[in-house]
Amino acid sequence: MAYSENTRNNYKAVLEEIRENGLFKEERYICSPQDADIVVEYPSGAPQKEVINMCANNYLGLSSHPEVVKAAHEGLDARGYGMSSVRFICGTQDIHRELENKLTKFLETEDTVLFPSCMDANAGVFEAVFDDRDVLIADRLVHASIIDGMRLCSALNESFKHSDMKHLERKLETYQDARYRCIVTDGVFSMDGDTAKLDEICDLAEKYDAMVFVDDSHSSGFLGKRGKGTHEHKGVLGRIDIITTTLGKALGGASGGCVSGRSEIVEMCRQKARPYLFSNAMPPVVVAAANKVIDIITETTERRDKLEENTKFWRAGLEQAGFDLVDGDTPIVPVMLYNAKLSQDMSRDLYELGIYAIGFFFPVVPQGKARIRTQISAAHERHHLEKALDAFIQVGKKYDILGKGKKEIIEMFGM
Ligand SMILES: *Cc1c(COP(=O)(O)O)cnc(C)c1O
């Protein structure tokens, strides 16, 4: 027998070790649409409970917005359920191209190509555009999907210390003989919520003749005065050669991603990117709703403005209470706890108090950097945030971590 008892037991031991180390991730069942208030069944089989969601990527509150849901229904009626094809065979509808054009306009790029997800966009773009004559120089904290995409590409994989411009400059100098250099970064880093120094990165790119790649999944739709993303926020619209982003976060939250940027690069993706060529086209219902999302955020900045206000309120509240936060100005507000078990215990206590906020620990963040990553949404009203703040303070008091910094928390709980 190929899958022997021995094999089975080996895997069981690995899983048991994950559990013993407090690193086991449990699923919690949401029995309602995604929103500020959600209904959760946790643990499995327990009575359902309404809680405030403090950890969704639903930044603009569009995941269950009535106009978006209506557009999805209309798209379903007008263009059907599935494409049963990849894009280049018979999987491209007029609404797919409409969405690409809207994204191009919104992001202020030259052209855009959709992918089934941003993970797929990142998996496909590097291999399609670069080869072994090139070097990719990535920030060391880029998203896992970028690391995977770079690995699939024969270009030299290099890195620079997180947001360290001096180190990046040294790497750019080192590789002046390569055909192309490409600086690779997230716009907003998902775990800490900090933003890339895109202005400085673009200047270095000019000085050392390099391209710039930005994954803006955690900023498209709300960062910058018109919500275009990190490139708007940092004043470098039009200077980013390759942007990848997701439709699975602020932009409706269903699924889909894209590569947007220089028109030749986008065309190279259509010709060569494997997830584009070999994975199914985005479903019409999602495309139709995403078209509506872009319309909504183009017409008014109301939602991103509310998100900004909510974020300021939330960050100030946690800070005043004495939590150890990561500095930043994005709706990602990590409450640092360092210890994996503490992050899970606090998460459970918060749930008891009606607040849904998940502990993050290895391998999602490095060992010893466990946290509860809170994320603010335009769907939150002031009463949601006030109730959540009360609960955080109550739980913070229970573990006696208010006013304590990294060193003290680690002394109390270990890493
Ligand atoms: C969420 C995320 C992705 C993955 O997006 P999907 O569309 O869900 O595959 C890629 N990159 C970054 C930076 C992300 O935060």
Side-chain angles (χ1 to χ4, degrees), residues 57 116-120 122 143 145-146 186 188 190 215-218 245-249 255-257:
N57 297 316
S117 70
C118 188
M119 176 111 193
D120 286 323
N122 288 337
H143 192 259
S145 59
I146 295 178
D186 289 13
V188 168
S190 56
D215 179 338
D216 232 359
S217 290
H218 278 284
T245 193
T246 183
L247 300 165
K249 293 189 168 106
S255 69

Side-chain angles (χ1 to χ4, degrees), residues 20-41:
E20 274 168 13
N21 291 334
L23 300 177
F24 200 83
K25 282 170 285 304
E26 292 170 84
E27 290 183 347
R28 296 151 209 230
Y29 305 134
I30 316 277
C31 314
S32 66
Q34 185 62 275
D35 215 333
D37 296 301
I38 50 173
V39 177
V40 179
E41 180 191 313

Side-chain angles (χ1 to χ4, degrees), residues 72-310:
H73 279 293
E74 287 168 3
L76 186 60
D77 290 339
R79 293 290 182 278
Y81 172 66
M83 287 314 301
S84 305
S85 172
V86 301
R87 287 288 299 277
F88 83 96
I89 300 179
C90 52
T92 302
Q93 289 173 326
D94 50 353
I95 56 172
H96 289 84
R97 191 56 191 155
E98 182 188 343
L99 179 55
E100 288 172 342
N101 287 333
K102 279 184 184 172
L103 283 164
T104 301
K105 216 167 156 199
F106 182 75
L107 298 171
E108 298 196 21
T109 53
E110 295 174 7
D111 198 4
T112 301
V113 53
L114 295 172
F115 279 80
S117 70
C118 188
M119 176 111 193
D120 286 323
N122 288 337
V125 60
F126 296 107
E127 194 195 13
V129 174
F130 299 106
D131 64 30
D132 59 9
R133 293 167 290 179
D134 309 321
V135 56
L136 306 171
I137 309 174
D139 187 289
R140 287 194 183 153
L141 288 191
V142 291
H143 192 259
S145 59
I146 295 178
I147 294 171
D148 290 0
M150 286 171 53
R151 279 185 190 147
L152 291 170
C153 170
S154 62
L156 184 66
N157 282 206
E158 256 287 7
S159 69
F160 61 98
K161 291 180 198 158
H162 179 51
S163 280
D164 184 335
M165 295 299 109
K166 289 241 153 56
H167 196 215
L168 170 60
E169 183 161 14
R170 284 208 300 280
K171 290 289 167 87
L172 286 165
E173 273 168 354
T174 305
Y175 293 104
Q176 281 303 296
D177 290 342
R179 181 185 65 159
Y180 300 137
R181 287 150 294 285
C182 185
I183 305 168
V184 178
T185 184
D186 289 13
V188 168
F189 291 87
S190 56
M191 286 305 137
D192 287 345
D194 57 325
T195 46
K197 299 171 182 165
L198 283 192
D199 41 355
E200 295 177 50
I201 286 177
C202 285
D203 290 347
L204 283 176
E206 257 161 45
K207 185 170 169 193
Y208 292 97
D209 186 23
M211 291 188 226
V212 180
F213 167 105
V214 178
D215 179 338
D216 232 359
S217 290
H218 278 284
S219 35
S220 293
F222 57 89
L223 212 65
K225 282 282 165 257
R226 288 165 297 161
K228 290 174 187 288
T230 318
H231 58 331
E232 185 191 12
H233 187 57
K234 297 283 180 181
V236 292
L237 280 168
R239 291 175 70 190
I240 309 298
D241 303 294
I242 309 170
I243 295 174
T244 62
T245 193
T246 183
L247 300 165
K249 293 189 168 106
L251 303 179
S255 69
C258 70
V259 172
S260 192
R262 305 292 175 204
S263 53
E264 298 76 18
I265 286 177
V266 170
E267 196 54 44
M268 292 279 279
C269 286
R270 286 182 197 281
Q271 301 308 315
K272 293 178 70 180
R274 295 169 70 84
Y276 177 84
L277 296 175
F278 298 114
S279 191
N280 216 32
M282 278 178 70
V285 53
V286 176
V287 175
N291 269 315
K292 186 68 191 179
V293 164
I294 306 297
D295 290 346
I296 292 173
I297 63 174
T298 304
E299 273 161 26
T300 163
T301 60
E302 210 176 292
R303 305 189 79 78
R304 62 119 356 248
D305 297 343
K306 183 175 173 195
L307 174 61
E308 190 171 83
E309 261 171 53
N310 280 352

